[in-house]
Amino acid sequence: MVISRRSLLQATTATATSVALTGMAHGERAPDTATGHRPGASLWEEFRASPRTHPQIPFIGRAGYAGGSTAFPRRPVRADVVRYGARPDGSADAAPAINRAIAETGERGGGTVRLPPGRYRIDDIIRIGHSNVTLRGAGSGATTLYATRSLTDIIGPYGSRYGGDKSSWSWAGGLVWVCPRDRLRALTGAIKAREWPFEGWTGNRRDQWRTLARVTSPARRGDLTVTVDAPAALRPGDRVLLQLSDDAGHGLLAHMCGDVEGTATYDWSDKTKLLSYAPYEWPVRITAVRGRRVTLDRPLPLDARPEWAPRFTTLVAPVTGSGVEGLTIEMRETTQSPHLLDTGYNGLAMQCAWDCWADDVHVVNADNGFLFVAAKAVTLRRTRVSGRGSHHPYACREGSHDNLVEDFSVERPAAPPPAGTQVHGINVEGLSSYNVWSRGRMATGTFDTHRGLPFANVRTEITLHNDGKHGGDANAGPLYGARFTHWNVTVTNGRAGCVRIDDVAPYSATVGISEVTPFGQIDTPDFQGPLHARLDAYGTPAVTPRNLHTAQRRLSHGLPTRRQGESR
């Protein structure tokens, strides 16, 4: 008898609460004593009964711009880049003119900067550092920004804050860069000084914040209200950070993994990169303050327990309400660099951006196509990556939360990737949570969960030629936290790795994927013992609802509010 590696892994993790049981390949399902699930019951109906606290499926119905809005603002045109001196025939560097138009529009309070049809050469970064500014071309088939220089050429080499000879341009920065002016100035200044920065919400050294209020009573994942000690510094409409610090026993990290039994024996102590990511920082808006009770615009993503010193703090003032529309970002064609040595031919980066968007944007010949770096509630719609191979067509990292990528496409590389390169696909890492990839077609790549303990992320209604590899250093910790969900995924080449995750991801849901076989990259679980994962409708990538995000978005508008301390 031949025992496959997947069968062996299933045998070591199967329990009454795991779905990795004999018969799963035929769509059967075992009872889940942890959730009261019955064979044959609809997983969607089960989620609807407890949408904010379901053990395997995260609540992502408000992901994206403005809580999942399907419409973006149409602001009046305040500037035309041609009138600022940009030439649409590519004969001269248009970056200075475009950047002047953007800056002046932002300084006047916002509006649309128009890029008429044409091909605009840019020898510098296009910077969107003001709120309420839209950079709008005439359509991705009509307006092109042609980038002649990499980020290394423009700014300089960017090493890793963790040492080694890696280039951080392999996952950071964009030739169109949406980032607050002062934050971008500080980032690029540190890079030029070879003082490799943290890139997130609290500055290069993670020290640019102050406490506004401390959470004084325990609160649970899914709560919308919390109790604080000093509400005077909080106002409705404020954008703040909720910080959760890890405890000496790494209980917060275990909680991100669903508190599965195996977290107790997992060695957290040598995961130095992962430990540097704490505290967990979650941007959130205040919607009401009544006495010491504070209401949030989204349910808590994790418990707020006293041992994690939960508090609301300030954060870097983000860019809000800005967008990029209707254009192609094309790089000077180069050979794809060896893995982790990219020079920074990167497309669009959203960094310290909140409630922003991109629509009808095409990136060609990029090292990295679209990057979320400490981004919150950003929507990418109708985006595409093509040309030569991209290291990360899409990447989501450095504490990025509640972002949405929908109607996206990753095309097959124009030529085979050179030896020593990697294509990851759609990436998520670095404690990033509640991000969604929806309605996509991927001719290359994979579902790249890149260690760094991301959790509660969703990929839904995607067709994939699964030929990529996930990445991530061993000292970045587990591949998966809890509540990863893959819902209605068609794998055209039958490769299981990174898509069927019921035997590696704790408290996950693999629902409606086509039949797949382990070959190529195969991973063992990070945690011993039961994973409490779910596998439903295996071999049938057409379950109802077809799209988990769309269904949750519709559901979210009618959800009752559950207050702190109420019964589940």
Side-chain angles (χ1 to χ4, degrees):
M1 178 180 178
V2 177
I3 300 177
S4 70
R5 186 171 182 176
R6 179 175 291 275
S7 298
L8 181 61
L9 293 174
Q10 289 172 343
T12 62
T13 59
T15 67
T17 57
S18 172
V19 300
L21 298 171
T22 303
M24 290 298 104
H26 303 287
E28 298 174 11
R29 211 166 24 159
D32 188 331
T33 57
T35 64
H37 180 70
R38 301 185 308 278
S42 165
L43 187 55
W44 169 246
E45 291 303 319
E46 181 186 308
F47 170 82
R48 288 184 63 183
S50 58
R52 291 182 175 136
T53 57
H54 193 276
Q56 284 89 9
I57 300 175
F59 175 70
I60 43 84
R62 291 181 56 78
Y65 167 79
S69 173
T70 58
F72 305 129
R74 299 290 292 181
R75 298 192 175 93
V77 174
R78 302 298 188 194
D80 186 313
V81 301
V82 173
R83 294 184 180 179
Y84 280 74
R87 297 181 182 178
D89 61 2
S91 61
D93 179 17
I98 296 171
N99 283 325
R100 282 198 305 273
I102 292 170
E104 290 185 13
T105 300
E107 289 162 3
R108 293 196 298 264
T112 295
V113 175
R114 181 172 177 262
L115 281 163
R119 186 175 180 84
Y120 299 86
R121 194 185 96 204
I122 56 171
D123 301 340
D124 195 2
I125 300 163
I126 301 303
R127 301 168 176 85
I128 302 176
H130 293 82
S131 296
N132 302 318
V133 173
T134 304
L135 180 64
R136 181 183 299 147
S140 61
T143 299
T144 296
L145 298 176
Y146 178 68
T148 63
R149 305 170 72 207
S150 70
L151 292 166
T152 299
D153 298 327
I154 297 167
I155 298 171
Y158 185 5
S160 169
R161 64 180 182 247
Y162 300 104
D165 60 357
K166 300 173 184 177
S167 168
S168 286
W169 296 131
S170 299
W171 53 77
L175 289 164
V176 178
W177 205 332
V178 180
C179 183
R181 288 174 300 166
D182 292 344
R183 186 74 185 98
L184 184 57
R185 189 178 299 116
L187 283 165
T188 55
I191 294 166
K192 290 176 181 178
R194 305 182 69 84
E195 299 171 351
W196 314 134
F198 285 91
E199 301 161 90
W201 296 104
T202 51
N204 292 351
R205 299 179 182 274
R206 300 193 73 181
D207 59 359
Q208 295 180 24
W209 59 273
R210 57 184 176 83
T211 298
L212 298 171
R214 291 177 172 82
V215 178
T216 56
S217 298
R220 298 173 301 173
R221 175 173 66 92
D223 284 344
L224 278 166
T225 63
V226 296
T227 302
V228 300
D229 60 348
L234 302 175
R235 297 283 186 275
D238 284 353
R239 298 176 188 262
V240 298
L241 276 185
L242 173 67
Q243 283 195 11
L244 300 175
S245 298
D246 200 15
D247 59 85
H250 304 298
L252 176 61
L253 300 180
H255 181 53
M256 291 177 182
C257 299
D259 296 304
V260 293
E261 293 90 324
T263 60
T265 56
Y266 184 79
D267 185 1
W268 301 98
S269 64
D270 63 350
K271 307 304 185 293
T272 53
K273 181 180 283 190
L274 173 61
L275 297 179
S276 77
Y277 296 161
Y280 174 75
E281 297 174 336
W282 182 61
V284 66
R285 289 189 70 180
I286 306 297
T287 61
V289 180
R290 297 181 178 88
R292 295 194 300 118
R293 304 274 284 183
V294 177
T295 303
L296 311 176
D297 72 334
R298 298 167 192 260
L300 286 177
L302 295 165
D303 291 355
R305 301 177 188 173
E307 58 266 34
W308 301 331
R311 66 183 68 196
F312 292 110
T313 76
T314 59
L315 74 166
V316 169
V319 171
T320 62
S322 289
V324 179
E325 299 179 350
L327 55 85
T328 288
I329 307 168
E330 181 182 347
M331 318 302 162
R332 179 175 69 86
E333 189 168 359
T334 59
T335 302
Q336 186 177 353
S337 298
H339 189 225
L340 301 176
L341 296 178
D342 295 331
T343 60
Y345 280 105
N346 299 343
L348 174 62
M350 294 280 189
Q351 185 162 5
C352 297
W354 187 341
D355 281 333
C356 293
W357 73 92
D359 186 23
D360 184 26
V361 176
H362 179 195
V363 174
V364 183
N365 295 329
D367 293 334
N368 300 278
F370 296 87
L371 297 175
F372 295 124
V373 185
K376 166 76 174 187
V378 171
T379 294
L380 305 182
R381 182 178 299 157
R382 298 190 300 161
T383 54
R384 182 161 61 111
V385 178
S386 71
R388 57 100 159 157
S390 294
H391 182 200
H392 298 101
Y394 294 83
C396 181
R397 49 179 297 274
E398 201 83 2
S400 289
H401 311 288
D402 300 295
N403 300 296
L404 170 65
V405 182
E406 60 182 359
D407 302 310
F408 69 97
S409 175
V410 181
E411 298 185 4
R412 182 164 296 281
T421 62
Q422 286 191 19
V423 175
H424 293 308
I426 52 176
N427 154 279
V428 61
E429 59 180 285
L431 303 188
S432 296
S433 62
Y434 294 83
N435 302 289
V436 181
W437 287 261
S438 169
R439 294 194 304 271
R441 299 192 66 84
M442 300 173 60
T444 189
T446 193
F447 292 177
D448 171 28
T449 301
H450 216 70
R451 299 197 179 274
L453 196 52
F455 65 94
N457 298 282
V458 168
R459 289 100 170 210
T460 182
E461 198 177 352
I462 296 171
T463 299
L464 164 69
H465 182 83
N466 187 13
D467 62 1
K469 294 183 178 181
H470 76 67
D473 294 333
N475 64 353
L479 270 172
Y480 301 95
R483 294 182 300 285
F484 264 83
T485 299
H486 294 171
W487 185 286
N488 271 345
V489 178
T490 300
V491 182
T492 60
N493 60 337
R495 180 174 181 258
C498 304
V499 177
R500 180 173 172 178
I501 58 174
D502 55 288
D503 58 5
V504 293
Y507 278 105
S508 61
T510 304
V511 182
I513 68 165
S514 51
E515 291 192 25
V516 290
T517 302
F519 65 89
Q521 184 168 319
I522 305 297
D523 293 293
T524 58
D526 289 294
F527 307 110
Q528 298 178 358
L531 296 178
H532 306 278
R534 298 282 289 274
L535 177 69
D536 274 51
Y538 178 58
T540 309
V543 299
T544 301
R546 180 70 181 172
N547 187 287
L548 182 63
H549 171 254
T550 300
Q552 285 203 28
R553 180 160 56 189
R554 291 170 179 164
L555 180 66
S556 69
H557 295 294
L559 285 178
T561 298
R562 181 169 66 81
R563 303 294 180 181
Q564 177 185 347
E566 290 179 358
S567 172
R568 295 181 183 178

